[in-house]
Amino acid sequence: MEKQLSMEQVFQKLGDLKQFFVFGQKIVPLFKKIIDFMTDIVPLLENVNNSIQDTTSKMPKAAHQINSVTNATEIATSEILDIVDSMSADMTKIKNELEDMKNGFFNQRVALDKLINEYPSLNGRLEEFKSALVIDELESKVVGIEEIVKKIENDITNITISLQVQDITAQQLASVNHLIHSVQERLSSLLFDFNKTEGFQLPEIGEYDEKKHPFNPNARYDRNHQMQKVADELIQSNNKTSQEEIDKLFGK
Amino acid sequence: MALKFLVVDDSVTMRRIVANSLKSIGYDNFVEAADGKEALAKLNADDSINFVITDWNMPEVSGLELVKAIRSNEKTQSLPILMVTTRGLKEDILEALQAKVNNYIVKPFTPQILREKIEQILASS
């Protein structure tokens, strides 16, 4: 009886074993496919790893180059401002000279009129002399030059306004630098995940200190002063709005 | 009353542009500071400063922090403050108003805009 029970158990185990082999036959091709996939994917992952390492190592250089661009444009802008200042000083001198000339013409005219009144016997010869001096013509030329000077001064003001773009682009570049830093941090973390079993050293990345390098990510060169119009409207309505309402807007 | 301006901006270019603009509209008495920290030190040391023109984004002590510091100090709380900044979003402007700036200029600005804002502040104070 006991022998018969043992045999039944053996057959049952053999049945289990057979099922296992059948399952194995089904599963082995799947394992093979997984191994083939891994064989294909590992070099690809290594490529990705190398590429990330390469990109990450280049990022500090990119950030450094952006800083160099900012510094170079600041120096160039400063040089342009030097020239603009010098032009402004020259324009002031020219304006003063022109004013002196206009005063001179006025004085000449007054002196000649005085002579004409004092010596009527000269029978119009002084009028001829006065007309030969072409004072009116010269004076209108001076007025013309004054108009040109005014235009140059206006152009100088416009150059100064345009130079403010340096500050705006500096903030945009600082924003890009911040972005590069964030991407570098993320990639470094990926590199660490790829290489942690090999005692991999993370590339050095310093902390981006927003307190030391503040920027406005929304800075833009608004030559039409649309944002100024918004500011003016808000200030105007703020003069009518109570502090309580502003606090309410900020959820305080 | 003779005006003495404190021009605060971390950009050398912008300090020069603000200073030149002030000169072009007839104000030539001003001192400069490169950030909020330096501005507070200058305000502390020079009682004759009676008008502040400040940027917002500056290292260490920002323009907004400077405004709050000025407003919380009994000695300086009533100083006129004009903010000149690239920040032109509605939320930014409201935040500056909440900190009690007297007026607000979004860069780029013209000397005419600067004159207009200074005059508005002086007329209301």
PDB file of all heavy atoms in Angstrom, chain B residues 101-114:
ATOM      1  N   VAL B 101       6.984 101.240  -3.571  1.00  0.00           N
ATOM      2  CA  VAL B 101       7.786 102.112  -4.446  1.00  0.00           C
ATOM      3  C   VAL B 101       6.853 103.255  -4.874  1.00  0.00           C
ATOM      4  O   VAL B 101       5.638 103.077  -4.934  1.00  0.00           O
ATOM      5  CB  VAL B 101       8.335 101.393  -5.713  1.00  0.00           C
ATOM      6  CG1 VAL B 101       9.313 100.316  -5.357  1.00  0.00           C
ATOM      7  CG2 VAL B 101       7.233 100.853  -6.581  1.00  0.00           C
ATOM      8  N   ASN B 102       7.424 104.414  -5.157  1.00  0.00           N
ATOM      9  CA  ASN B 102       6.576 105.546  -5.537  1.00  0.00           C
ATOM     10  C   ASN B 102       6.196 105.517  -7.012  1.00  0.00           C
ATOM     11  O   ASN B 102       5.126 105.981  -7.393  1.00  0.00           O
ATOM     12  CB  ASN B 102       7.279 106.869  -5.241  1.00  0.00           C
ATOM     13  CG  ASN B 102       7.469 107.065  -3.761  1.00  0.00           C
ATOM     14  OD1 ASN B 102       8.421 106.546  -3.193  1.00  0.00           O
ATOM     15  ND2 ASN B 102       6.558 107.760  -3.124  1.00  0.00           N
ATOM     16  N   ASN B 103       7.121 104.993  -7.837  1.00  0.00           N
ATOM     17  CA  ASN B 103       6.811 104.879  -9.252  1.00  0.00           C
ATOM     18  C   ASN B 103       7.684 103.796  -9.871  1.00  0.00           C
ATOM     19  O   ASN B 103       8.595 103.290  -9.210  1.00  0.00           O
ATOM     20  CB  ASN B 103       6.987 106.226  -9.967  1.00  0.00           C
ATOM     21  CG  ASN B 103       5.884 106.437 -11.003  1.00  0.00           C
ATOM     22  OD1 ASN B 103       5.543 105.520 -11.739  1.00  0.00           O
ATOM     23  ND2 ASN B 103       5.333 107.640 -11.047  1.00  0.00           N
ATOM     24  N   TYR B 104       7.410 103.475 -11.132  1.00  0.00           N
ATOM     25  CA  TYR B 104       7.990 102.271 -11.717  1.00  0.00           C
ATOM     26  C   TYR B 104       8.295 102.504 -13.193  1.00  0.00           C
ATOM     27  O   TYR B 104       7.433 102.959 -13.947  1.00  0.00           O
ATOM     28  CB  TYR B 104       6.956 101.151 -11.559  1.00  0.00           C
ATOM     29  CG  TYR B 104       7.458  99.740 -11.686  1.00  0.00           C
ATOM     30  CD1 TYR B 104       7.837  99.011 -10.577  1.00  0.00           C
ATOM     31  CD2 TYR B 104       7.511  99.114 -12.929  1.00  0.00           C
ATOM     32  CE1 TYR B 104       8.264  97.695 -10.682  1.00  0.00           C
ATOM     33  CE2 TYR B 104       7.943  97.798 -13.049  1.00  0.00           C
ATOM     34  CZ  TYR B 104       8.304  97.098 -11.915  1.00  0.00           C
ATOM     35  OH  TYR B 104       8.723  95.786 -12.027  1.00  0.00           O
ATOM     36  N   ILE B 105       9.544 102.197 -13.587  1.00  0.00           N
ATOM     37  CA  ILE B 105       9.920 102.317 -15.003  1.00  0.00           C
ATOM     38  C   ILE B 105      10.402 100.952 -15.496  1.00  0.00           C
ATOM     39  O   ILE B 105      11.199 100.288 -14.826  1.00  0.00           O
ATOM     40  CB  ILE B 105      11.041 103.373 -15.198  1.00  0.00           C
ATOM     41  CG1 ILE B 105      10.490 104.782 -14.970  1.00  0.00           C
ATOM     42  CG2 ILE B 105      11.660 103.263 -16.576  1.00  0.00           C
ATOM     43  CD1 ILE B 105      11.527 105.898 -15.108  1.00  0.00           C
ATOM     44  N   VAL B 106       9.895 100.537 -16.667  1.00  0.00           N
ATOM     45  CA  VAL B 106      10.353  99.283 -17.274  1.00  0.00           C
ATOM     46  C   VAL B 106      11.399  99.631 -18.339  1.00  0.00           C
ATOM     47  O   VAL B 106      11.140 100.463 -19.209  1.00  0.00           O
ATOM     48  CB  VAL B 106       9.179  98.499 -17.915  1.00  0.00           C
ATOM     49  CG1 VAL B 106       9.661  97.157 -18.453  1.00  0.00           C
ATOM     50  CG2 VAL B 106       8.063  98.275 -16.900  1.00  0.00           C
ATOM     51  N   LYS B 107      12.584  99.004 -18.230  1.00  0.00           N
ATOM     52  CA  LYS B 107      13.648  99.242 -19.217  1.00  0.00           C
ATOM     53  C   LYS B 107      13.230  98.632 -20.560  1.00  0.00           C
ATOM     54  O   LYS B 107      12.609  97.578 -20.564  1.00  0.00           O
ATOM     55  CB  LYS B 107      14.951  98.570 -18.758  1.00  0.00           C
ATOM     56  CG  LYS B 107      15.540  99.143 -17.485  1.00  0.00           C
ATOM     57  CD  LYS B 107      16.727  98.269 -17.059  1.00  0.00           C
ATOM     58  CE  LYS B 107      17.228  98.647 -15.684  1.00  0.00           C
ATOM     59  NZ  LYS B 107      18.226  97.718 -15.153  1.00  0.00           N
ATOM     60  N   PRO B 108      13.595  99.219 -21.689  1.00  0.00           N
ATOM     61  CA  PRO B 108      14.383 100.434 -21.823  1.00  0.00           C
ATOM     62  C   PRO B 108      13.508 101.683 -21.627  1.00  0.00           C
ATOM     63  O   PRO B 108      12.338 101.676 -21.969  1.00  0.00           O
ATOM     64  CB  PRO B 108      14.897 100.354 -23.260  1.00  0.00           C
ATOM     65  CG  PRO B 108      13.851  99.600 -23.997  1.00  0.00           C
ATOM     66  CD  PRO B 108      13.245  98.650 -23.020  1.00  0.00           C
ATOM     67  N   PHE B 109      14.139 102.731 -21.094  1.00  0.00           N
ATOM     68  CA  PHE B 109      13.402 103.965 -20.852  1.00  0.00           C
ATOM     69  C   PHE B 109      14.067 105.124 -21.602  1.00  0.00           C
ATOM     70  O   PHE B 109      15.216 105.009 -22.020  1.00  0.00           O
ATOM     71  CB  PHE B 109      13.356 104.278 -19.352  1.00  0.00           C
ATOM     72  CG  PHE B 109      14.707 104.588 -18.780  1.00  0.00           C
ATOM     73  CD1 PHE B 109      15.164 105.896 -18.704  1.00  0.00           C
ATOM     74  CD2 PHE B 109      15.545 103.585 -18.338  1.00  0.00           C
ATOM     75  CE1 PHE B 109      16.411 106.193 -18.196  1.00  0.00           C
ATOM     76  CE2 PHE B 109      16.809 103.876 -17.830  1.00  0.00           C
ATOM     77  CZ  PHE B 109      17.236 105.183 -17.759  1.00  0.00           C
ATOM     78  N   THR B 110      13.315 106.192 -21.756  1.00  0.00           N
ATOM     79  CA  THR B 110      13.869 107.399 -22.381  1.00  0.00           C
ATOM     80  C   THR B 110      14.070 108.451 -21.280  1.00  0.00           C
ATOM     81  O   THR B 110      13.413 108.372 -20.231  1.00  0.00           O
ATOM     82  CB  THR B 110      12.892 107.980 -23.426  1.00  0.00           C
ATOM     83  OG1 THR B 110      11.703 108.367 -22.726  1.00  0.00           O
ATOM     84  CG2 THR B 110      12.537 106.980 -24.495  1.00  0.00           C
ATOM     85  N   PRO B 111      14.934 109.441 -21.505  1.00  0.00           N
ATOM     86  CA  PRO B 111      15.076 110.507 -20.510  1.00  0.00           C
ATOM     87  C   PRO B 111      13.736 111.193 -20.220  1.00  0.00           C
ATOM     88  O   PRO B 111      13.488 111.612 -19.100  1.00  0.00           O
ATOM     89  CB  PRO B 111      16.064 111.475 -21.156  1.00  0.00           C
ATOM     90  CG  PRO B 111      16.843 110.655 -22.110  1.00  0.00           C
ATOM     91  CD  PRO B 111      15.901 109.616 -22.607  1.00  0.00           C
ATOM     92  N   GLN B 112      12.862 111.251 -21.244  1.00  0.00           N
ATOM     93  CA  GLN B 112      11.545 111.886 -21.053  1.00  0.00           C
ATOM     94  C   GLN B 112      10.711 111.106 -20.038  1.00  0.00           C
ATOM     95  O   GLN B 112      10.060 111.693 -19.184  1.00  0.00           O
ATOM     96  CB  GLN B 112      10.781 111.976 -22.390  1.00  0.00           C
ATOM     97  CG  GLN B 112      11.325 112.978 -23.375  1.00  0.00           C
ATOM     98  CD  GLN B 112      12.635 112.544 -24.018  1.00  0.00           C
ATOM     99  OE1 GLN B 112      12.930 111.354 -24.132  1.00  0.00           O
ATOM    100  NE2 GLN B 112      13.458 113.499 -24.412  1.00  0.00           N
ATOM    101  N   ILE B 113      10.758 109.760 -20.156  1.00  0.00           N
ATOM    102  CA  ILE B 113       9.999 108.930 -19.200  1.00  0.00           C
ATOM    103  C   ILE B 113      10.560 109.151 -17.795  1.00  0.00           C
ATOM    104  O   ILE B 113       9.816 109.305 -16.826  1.00  0.00           O
ATOM    105  CB  ILE B 113      10.064 107.426 -19.596  1.00  0.00           C
ATOM    106  CG1 ILE B 113       9.277 107.181 -20.885  1.00  0.00           C
ATOM    107  CG2 ILE B 113       9.522 106.539 -18.472  1.00  0.00           C
ATOM    108  CD1 ILE B 113       9.346 105.751 -21.419  1.00  0.00           C
ATOM    109  N   LEU B 114      11.895 109.204 -17.700  1.00  0.00           N
ATOM    110  CA  LEU B 114      12.539 109.401 -16.391  1.00  0.00           C
ATOM    111  C   LEU B 114      12.096 110.735 -15.786  1.00  0.00           C
ATOM    112  O   LEU B 114      11.722 110.804 -14.607  1.00  0.00           O
ATOM    113  CB  LEU B 114      14.063 109.353 -16.556  1.00  0.00           C
ATOM    114  CG  LEU B 114      14.889 109.426 -15.279  1.00  0.00           C
ATOM    115  CD1 LEU B 114      14.628 108.225 -14.377  1.00  0.00           C
ATOM    116  CD2 LEU B 114      16.382 109.502 -15.597  1.00  0.00           C
TER     117      LEU B 114
END
